Each structure stands twice: as structure tokens, then as C-alpha cells.
Amino acid sequence: MKRFITILLLAAFSGSLLHAQTSTQKIEIPIGRIGFHDNIDKEQLAAKKFDGKADDLVQVSDDQTINLQVTNALIKQVDDMQNEIELDSSLDHRLKIKYLSGLYIMLHDYNVKRSYRRIAPEEAPAMVKAYRDMMHADIKGESILPYIQNLSFDAGEKMIGAFKDNPGFKDATGVMFAKYAFNHLETVMTEISNYLEYPATDSIIAAVAKKYPNQILTYATSYTPIATVIKRNQDPLVQQIVQIGNSGQSTRILPFIDELLAGTTTIDKLSATVADDDQYYKQMVKTSIILQQRKNNGESPMGLKAMMENMQAKSLKYIREVNDLHEEPAPVRFRIVKDFTPEELYYLIINGQEELYTSSYTNHNNAGIYDQMMARMKPSRGDSLLMLVSFDRFKKFIAMAAGFNTLDNFLKSMAPENSNYLMKKYVSALEKTEDLEDAVDVANSFGSIRDPQLLSFLREEVRKNYVYVSKKKERRGTVIYELLGSLFDTETEKSTDSSKASEMSAKLQLPPINFVSFNSLQSDSGRVYEQVFFYGDKDGHESYLSFMSNFPGGEWKVTKGKYWTTITSLKGKPVTIFANLPIAEPDDKDAIQKLSEYLDENDIHPTVFIHRGHSYHINTTLDNLQSSARIVVLGSCGGYHNMSVVLEKSPEAHIISSKQVGTRFVNEPIIRALDETIRAGKNVDWVEMWAGLGRRFAGDPRNKELFSDYVPPHKNLGAIFIKAYRQIMKDAK
């Protein structure tokens, strides 16, 4: 529609766009509005070209009827509206631009969301009809509200923006926000401040309270207008949260909200209990078991998520004390848990996956947390223990037992039929979980199980599950079990590490997993860049000083700045290492930020990233990870969440992690071997490097055990599983 617009007057429409009877009339368009029509035409053309075919059909479905309806709406009906706007003599130039602009915004928003799969493309007819109805109502000075009720949020959010002067705009905005809110309960509280006076706000807050009570508690105890709205909300759950907020121990009491609502306890009773750390932990264990029973029965306990978070934080405090006393006699080292029940020790284990020392878990004196847990069971049966804890996260426990080489002991503590049933459950229903954590745990355990009979049994169970989900045509489950089967088939005693890795890469159609080529580490200039993260606590200072001792003069040039140190190779291939200074907390994060800004400004993209710090610092490291990463050393922080984040940001990364807390006595030799390999211009061969490190630690009894808990990339089956799964699902789109 350039200089003239063609008016299509339908004489008949018999269900086919190809046989419409039309007559035409040409109307001149003022030059001031031609551009608005052009923009609309471009969006119509984009809609038709979306499927890559240069035809006149908007293809959104395999159903041709739906395609014709969408085409009719986006092409013919939009053309009709353009004509109608131009022909309406009651509209001045400003109003015609207003309605043409709104029409363009609707089309553009639809096309963008369709490309990101954020809208059902078959909504187009409803969108076009709603816009026409709103335009007619607006011209008459009537409310647009009745015409947006049946639209989804994604369909209507941008569309109503054209009608900001309409008497129904505010109410329509409220309705749209409600549509958004109930589908985004996890994040809606950050946006609710602009909608506090809308009728739906109370219902939204009540809905958030059921799924994320901790968020309501946070806002209820704030000095904001949101707090006032929460406090006047009449929902019983919201009021209970408000009462919890009035106590002095609100964050500790919140996880017990299910019991408070049931009337089995009171805030006063809980206040006395949670004031004592040991009693608080013991009460969390009791309540967690009850909540897990309810979950097993199909219920959705409200306090479960907060309970898990609080219990993990408390568990780690106990575990860190036991870890820190690793050189003390057992009675001193484990004194803090001497009165714990088997259930309480079980929860320490499953909450301490990323920090539990091997010798804290089990040791030659049979004094470890696992050893004491089993010894205190009367009788000492693993199946009885799992029944006591309502099988809460038992798959996590099984995976840890495999990793710490106690799975055989645990399974033999029960009758064979029960152990078989347990392991069947371990590898079943992995397709039903929200994320891949259980499947990754199963994958990780494959590399630790050495019992041939158990491996054979699990292979068969994986095969059975694969057959089951594939018959149901369950795509996600089929991929999960197919990958697990491939990982299992490569885990044979006859294979060498190199042959296993090569076979695995080929089967999973992945790039090599046993080495990283030197060329892939180089920047365009041929230099290899490395970034190392340090933190400002005592451990961070010691780690930094130890790290810096690895770069003797004559081989490396060291330049210390205000926020970071730059280390440059003087011999061998060009390598530059950036290490932020371990400035006292919280300024250590500023140093990391300053370094990251410098790298961005200078277009420097490291390919090697190394985390040197406790697990509670890992999120800062991950936030600064770049997609260029090819090697990531996480130390102790190799849990599912962290591996998932790394591979989301850096899909090609090879990850080194540990089953326990990292130590500089192991980290330094690994990093030194890595840097020297790179400086020599060699491919980083993990099998070769790990063999050399194994020989190095063979004569170091103190750190040999710690090194054995480090997992090299070619044996990091969890990370390999995530890579392969994402690649397959990506290719299937």
C-alpha cells in the first residue's frame, strides 16, 4: 500500500480464500500515513514467510483449516481494517495514525512471540477480532474491557496499549496483569507494586502464598506499600504468614507453616524450639518426614521448599565443623553429631553432597556419618532406614553411596528382593521429574558401581524403562533412557579410559570428551586467556598466596593492579592469566566485577575458568562465566545445579569437579599441570594428565584420598549426560 490503497468489498466468501468475489476501489492515502501502512504490510509479509515458503498462506499448523483461518485474519481482515480506518471520515489524522499504529503493534508482537514460541499461533483470529471490536468501542467512547476477557496475556498485553485514553483501559490492564500473574507466580511479586489497587491483587497474593510463602513473608516484613496490602489480605494462609512475620524467628518458623495451619503446633512453641540450633535441626527432620509422607500421598505441602533450604543451610554448618576437624580423633571430630538419630544423620548426608569429605562420610575407623547412621539403626537395615525417612530424596542418597563406595554395603544390609526393588525405583520414572537432577545422579553413579551383577541388573532396568517410555512415545523419557543406556554400555572393565571416552563420544555424537584441543583454547590473536576467581575470606587469601607461588620469574611476568593480578607467560606459547585479588569481603565481589568489566571492554574472552573458593561463592563465579569457556575447574562445586548452569552458558565446556570440599593441596597441582600443558601448546589430554597426577599423589598419603574424589571431564558422566541430552533435544526442535 504505497500511494494508493485498494478497497476489497466482499460479495461472497464460501470458506476458501481463493474464491472470494471482490470489487475494487482506489483511495489516495496522505503521504503522512503511507509509512504506517508499509509497516503493517511488512509484518503481514513476515507472517507469510515464517515457514520459509514464498506463498500467500500463513502456515501455523498441520491442519489446513486453521492455516486458512489464520491467513484470513492476518491478511484479509487486517487489510479490511486498514481500509476501514482510511475510509472513516469521522476519524482525523491523529486517530487514524493511532489505530494504524495499534494494528502494526499487534502484528509485530504476534510475529515476535511466534518466533520465540511464546504464543499459540492459532490465536491470531481471536486477536484480530478483539482489536477490531476494541477499535469500534473506542471510536464510540465505550470501554474496551469486554473484548479482552477471552484473550491470553501474550495475545493482549501489547494490543491494549493503543487504547490508553479509553475509559476501560485501567480495568483492562488489571485483567491482563492477572492473566500474567497466575502464570508467573514465582516472579510476579517483583512487579505487583504497580497493581496494588486492582481487584485481582488479593487473589494473586493468596496464590503466591500457596506456592512461595517465603516471598510473601519477605514482603510482609518490609516497609513498602506491598506490606500494607498483604496485611489486609483476608486469606487464612496469608494471615498466618503475617503472624509468622511478627515473630522474632520468622524465617526459621516459616517452613513449619503446614503444621501451624493444621493446628498441631503454635508460633510460641516453635519460637522456643527454633531458638536452640540442635532442637531446631531435629524438629526440621521430624517435620520433613511428615511433609514427605504428604507429598508421597499426592499432596503439595507449602513449607517443603523452605524446609529443604533451611535444612540444607543448617546441615552444612554441622558438616563443615566435622570437616574442619579432620585431623582430630573421631570422638572430637564427630562430637557435634554424637546424639543424632539415624534419620538426622541421613538428612545431613543428603544435604551435604557438595561439601562432605570422604572421611567425614565414611572412614577406616567406622566413625563417619554414614557408618554411625547404619550402626545406630536397630536392626542395621537400609530399607528400614529409608522407610523411616519416607524415602525422601532416596535417589540422591543412592547416588552418594555409589560415589563414596558404600552402595554395596548399604544394599547388602537388606533382603535381596528389597535391594532389587530399591534399585528398580532408583532408575525408574526419571522422565517425570521437573529437571534432570535424578537422571544426572543416576548417570554419575554408573562410573562408581563396580559390582558386575548390580551393573548388569541396572542395565536391564534401564532397557526396560526405555522400552516402556518409547512405547508411550514419551520423547523426554525416551531420550533420558537412551542416553543412560549408552553411558552404561561403555562402562565395562575391559575398556581403557581412552577407549571408553572415544566410544562414548561416538555413541552420543559429541565432540571428544577425553581432550581439549590447544587450538580451541586460543583467541583470534593466538593467545590463551584464563580467569581465576578468589574470594576475600581467610581461605581465599591463603589460596591466592599459594596460587601465586606457581609463577617463577623468568618464566612468567606478574603485574599486580588495584583489583587484579595479570600473569603472562615469557616462555612457550602466549598465555595470560587474570586473577582477581582476594580483597576483604564484600569488596572481593567488586574486584571480580571490575575485572569482568575490563575483559568485556577489551573484548577478551577467556577459555579457561577456575573457581577457587567455598561452594557458597560459586554463584558469583558462575555469574561471570563466559560462553567462550572450554575448561571450567569448579573444585568442590560440581553438583547438578552448577554443572547445569555451566553448560547452559558454555555448552562446550569440560568440567573438573570434586565429590567433596576442594583443597589447594590438590587444586594447585591440577592447575599447574593444566597451565604447563597449555603453555607447551599441547592438547589437554585428560586421561594422560590424570594418570600423571595419579602418580604424583601416589606418594602423598595425606592428599591421595582427596585427589581420588576429583572427577576429570572424561569421567564426569553427569556433565556428559547433560551435554548429550541438550544436544539431542535441541536438534529435535
Side-chain angles (χ1 to χ4, degrees):
M1 297 180 186
K2 299 290 184 185
R3 183 76 177 170
F4 294 92
I5 186 168
T6 300
I7 308 301
L8 300 178
L9 303 174
L10 271 178
F13 185 81
S14 59
S16 171
L17 295 174
L18 304 177
H19 296 92
Q21 302 298 313
T22 67
S23 63
T24 64
Q25 175 186 354
K26 288 187 176 180
I27 302 293
E28 186 172 359
I29 305 172
I31 193 169
R33 292 199 294 276
I34 289 177
F36 294 94
H37 286 285
D38 287 346
N39 288 337
I40 293 171
D41 294 345
K42 289 175 184 176
E43 292 300 328
Q44 289 177 304
L45 183 62
K48 287 191 289 186
K49 286 184 175 180
F50 189 84
D51 61 350
K53 297 178 181 177
D55 55 24
D56 289 327
L57 190 68
V58 181
Q59 184 89 22
V60 301
S61 168
D62 293 332
D63 188 328
Q64 196 68 357
T65 300
I66 293 176
N67 292 331
L68 289 172
Q69 290 171 346
V70 172
T71 303
N72 179 48
L74 296 181
I75 308 305
K76 181 193 173 301
Q77 292 183 35
V78 168
D79 283 348
D80 285 350
M81 265 192 281
Q82 289 176 267
N83 300 340
E84 180 184 345
I85 292 167
E86 286 298 336
L87 284 174
D88 193 335
S89 59
S90 69
L91 303 178
D92 59 21
H93 175 69
R94 180 186 62 82
L95 288 173
K96 289 183 179 183
I97 287 179
K98 167 185 174 179
Y99 296 129
L100 289 170
S101 297
L103 196 53
Y104 161 75
I105 289 171
M106 178 192 70
L107 284 170
H108 179 70
D109 188 49
Y110 172 84
N111 283 336
V112 170
K113 287 175 177 170
R114 183 183 170 196
S115 67
Y116 284 96
R117 301 188 182 192
R118 287 174 46 203
I119 196 168
E122 59 270 20
E123 277 199 84
M127 292 174 66
V128 174
K129 182 180 186 304
Y131 185 83
R132 186 193 291 270
D133 291 340
M134 286 192 286
M135 183 178 73
H136 289 164
D138 193 60
I139 291 171
K140 297 176 185 177
E142 298 173 354
S143 173
I144 63 171
L145 181 61
Y147 308 107
I148 57 96
Q149 300 290 347
N150 295 325
L151 290 178
S152 69
F153 169 76
D154 286 318
E157 64 158 332
K158 298 290 186 183
M159 189 191 305
I160 64 173
F163 306 99
K164 290 183 179 178
D165 297 329
N166 187 274
F169 177 73
K170 182 178 179 181
D171 290 338
T173 302
V175 170
M176 277 293 129
F177 178 70
K179 290 174 183 284
Y180 167 83
F182 286 109
N183 289 318
H184 299 83
L185 293 177
E186 186 173 7
T187 58
V188 73
M189 291 303 295
T190 61
E191 303 172 54
I192 206 168
S193 59
N194 294 323
Y195 302 90
L196 297 181
E197 301 304 320
Y198 286 85
T201 300
D202 283 346
S203 298
I204 293 168
I205 289 173
V208 174
K210 290 179 181 178
K211 291 200 70 175
Y212 308 103
N214 56 317
Q215 291 192 25
I216 301 302
L217 177 65
T218 298
Y219 283 98
T221 53
S222 67
Y223 296 97
T224 66
I226 301 176
T228 302
V229 174
I230 291 174
K231 289 174 182 177
R232 75 182 184 211
N233 192 297
Q234 294 305 302
D235 181 84
L237 172 58
V238 176
Q239 281 303 306
Q240 181 68 77
I241 295 172
V242 169
Q243 292 177 33
I244 292 172
N246 293 330
S247 70
Q249 299 277 6
S250 58
T251 56
R252 286 192 168 200
I253 292 175
L254 181 65
F256 301 98
I257 192 166
D258 296 272
E259 292 177 290
L260 288 169
L261 288 171
T264 56
T265 189
T266 66
I267 290 177
D268 288 342
K269 288 181 180 178
L270 287 172
S271 295
T273 300
V274 303
D276 179 275
D277 280 352
D278 289 344
Q279 291 305 312
Y280 171 47
Y281 176 75
K282 290 174 179 290
Q283 188 60 49
M284 282 196 292
V285 169
K286 292 176 183 176
T287 301
S288 290
I289 294 171
I290 294 171
L291 296 181
Q292 186 61 34
Q293 288 172 344
R294 292 181 56 187
K295 183 180 177 183
N296 293 344
N297 292 331
E299 298 180 50
S300 300
M302 288 171 285
L304 189 58
K305 185 174 184 293
M307 182 69 73
M308 290 174 66
E309 291 172 353
N310 284 19
M311 184 177 288
Q312 182 175 41
K314 185 58 188 164
S315 297
L316 289 177
K317 289 185 178 180
Y318 287 118
I319 287 169
R320 286 168 188 161
E321 181 167 334
V322 172
N323 286 346
D324 289 345
L325 296 172
H326 64 278
E327 294 184 352
E328 299 293 332
V332 175
R333 182 178 186 182
F334 296 98
R335 179 173 51 208
I336 195 170
V337 298
K338 65 182 180 64
D339 296 324
F340 278 19
T341 64
E343 305 98 290
E344 289 157 4
L345 294 171
Y346 174 88
Y347 275 96
L348 282 184
I349 290 172
I350 61 173
N351 283 300
Q353 181 185 27
E354 293 183 13
E355 295 203 17
L356 197 58
Y357 278 13
T358 297
S359 57
S360 295
Y361 175 87
T362 184
N363 57 48
H364 62 279
N365 294 320
N366 290 324
I369 293 174
Y370 169 83
D371 306 318
Q372 295 191 48
M373 176 188 72
M374 295 301 291
R376 294 175 194 178
M377 279 295 300
K378 303 297 181 183
S380 182
R381 290 181 46 154
D383 49 355
S384 300
L385 171 68
L386 293 179
M387 291 178 68
L388 280 176
V389 297
S390 299
F391 287 84
D392 189 3
R393 284 168 282 171
F394 83 93
K395 292 186 178 184
K396 175 72 63 184
F397 177 80
I398 294 295
M400 292 181 68
F404 285 116
N405 298 317
T406 60
L407 181 57
D408 184 60
N409 172 272
F410 185 73
L411 293 176
K412 286 182 178 177
S413 72
M414 61 189 83
E417 60 270 21
N418 288 352
S419 65
N420 286 344
Y421 176 78
L422 180 65
M423 296 310 292
K424 281 184 180 182
K425 287 293 184 182
Y426 177 56
V427 298
S428 69
L430 298 176
E431 75 280 4
K432 296 180 180 178
T433 56
E434 292 183 10
D435 54 33
L436 291 174
E437 184 167 7
D438 283 352
V440 168
D441 281 342
V442 171
N444 278 327
S445 68
F446 288 177
S448 303
I449 297 173
R450 290 290 174 262
D451 183 338
Q453 283 188 309
L454 179 57
L455 282 171
S456 178
F457 175 80
L458 290 177
R459 283 194 186 95
E460 179 61 17
E461 288 304 311
V462 167
R463 188 194 66 79
K464 288 179 181 177
N465 278 279
Y466 170 76
V467 171
Y468 174 74
V469 293
S470 59
K471 280 183 179 179
K472 291 175 60 181
K473 296 183 178 179
E474 211 288 325
R475 173 65 178 163
R476 184 172 184 268
T478 301
V479 172
I480 287 173
Y481 284 107
E482 187 175 23
L483 285 176
L484 289 177
S486 296
L487 289 175
F488 244 3
D489 288 343
T490 59
E491 283 299 312
T492 61
E493 289 297 332
K494 297 179 182 178
S495 302
T496 65
D497 282 349
S498 292
S499 64
K500 282 182 185 179
S502 299
E503 183 183 351
M504 202 178 299
S505 297
K507 277 194 172 187
L508 303 182
Q509 297 182 9
L510 290 173
I513 60 177
N514 55 320
F515 72 89
V516 178
S517 69
F518 175 74
N519 291 341
S520 70
L521 297 175
Q522 291 177 295
S523 65
D524 291 341
S525 66
R527 182 170 293 275
V528 177
Y529 291 103
E530 177 180 315
Q531 185 175 359
V532 189
F533 296 81
F534 290 97
Y535 293 87
D537 50 20
K538 181 175 180 290
D539 178 74
H541 282 277
E542 293 176 352
S543 294
Y544 175 81
L545 293 174
S546 175
F547 175 76
M548 292 306 300
S549 67
N550 294 320
F551 306 102
E555 295 186 12
W556 299 86
K557 177 184 176 182
V558 177
T559 306
K560 186 174 181 180
K562 182 178 180 181
Y563 295 106
W564 67 85
T565 297
T566 304
I567 307 160
T568 308
S569 62
L570 298 176
K571 294 181 179 180
K573 296 294 183 180
V575 177
T576 298
I577 302 170
F578 297 99
N580 66 277
L581 298 177
I583 301 171
E585 299 175 302
D587 294 335
D588 51 353
K589 291 181 174 58
D590 288 338
I592 291 172
Q593 181 64 29
K594 294 289 186 183
L595 174 54
S596 293
E597 290 173 358
Y598 170 81
L599 296 176
D600 289 341
E601 290 168 2
N602 289 275
D603 199 26
I604 295 173
H605 305 287
T607 51
V608 181
F609 288 81
I610 299 173
H611 172 77
R612 297 297 305 274
H614 290 298
S615 60
Y616 43 80
H617 294 306
I618 188 64
N619 286 337
T620 300
T621 297
L622 296 180
D623 286 344
N624 288 275
L625 191 66
Q626 295 189 35
S627 61
S628 56
R630 295 295 178 271
I631 298 173
V632 178
V633 182
L634 293 181
S636 65
C637 310
Y640 164 76
H641 169 73
N642 298 324
M643 287 194 300
S644 181
V645 171
V646 169
L647 296 174
E648 185 72 41
K649 287 192 168 190
S650 314
E652 298 180 46
H654 287 221
I655 302 172
I656 297 176
S657 62
S658 174
K659 300 174 187 176
Q660 61 156 40
V661 173
T663 169
R664 67 178 183 274
F665 300 110
V666 176
N667 287 333
E668 296 298 348
I670 291 175
I671 295 169
R672 191 158 49 246
L674 178 61
D675 287 339
E676 290 307 311
T677 300
I678 294 172
R679 194 165 64 125
K682 298 179 181 178
N683 294 340
V684 180
D685 186 315
W686 299 118
V687 177
E688 181 181 303
M689 179 183 292
W690 233 250
L693 288 166
R695 291 190 293 271
R696 151 83 173 78
F697 284 106
D700 182 2
R702 178 185 178 190
N703 295 306
K704 179 181 178 182
E705 179 186 337
L706 297 177
F707 171 70
S708 68
D709 285 326
Y710 280 70
V711 183
H714 65 290
K715 290 189 176 182
N716 197 330
L717 299 187
I720 294 167
F721 177 90
I722 295 172
K723 280 186 181 182
Y725 176 87
R726 287 182 175 169
Q727 185 61 50
I728 292 172
M729 298 304 277
K730 178 183 176 183
D731 291 344
K733 289 183 179 179

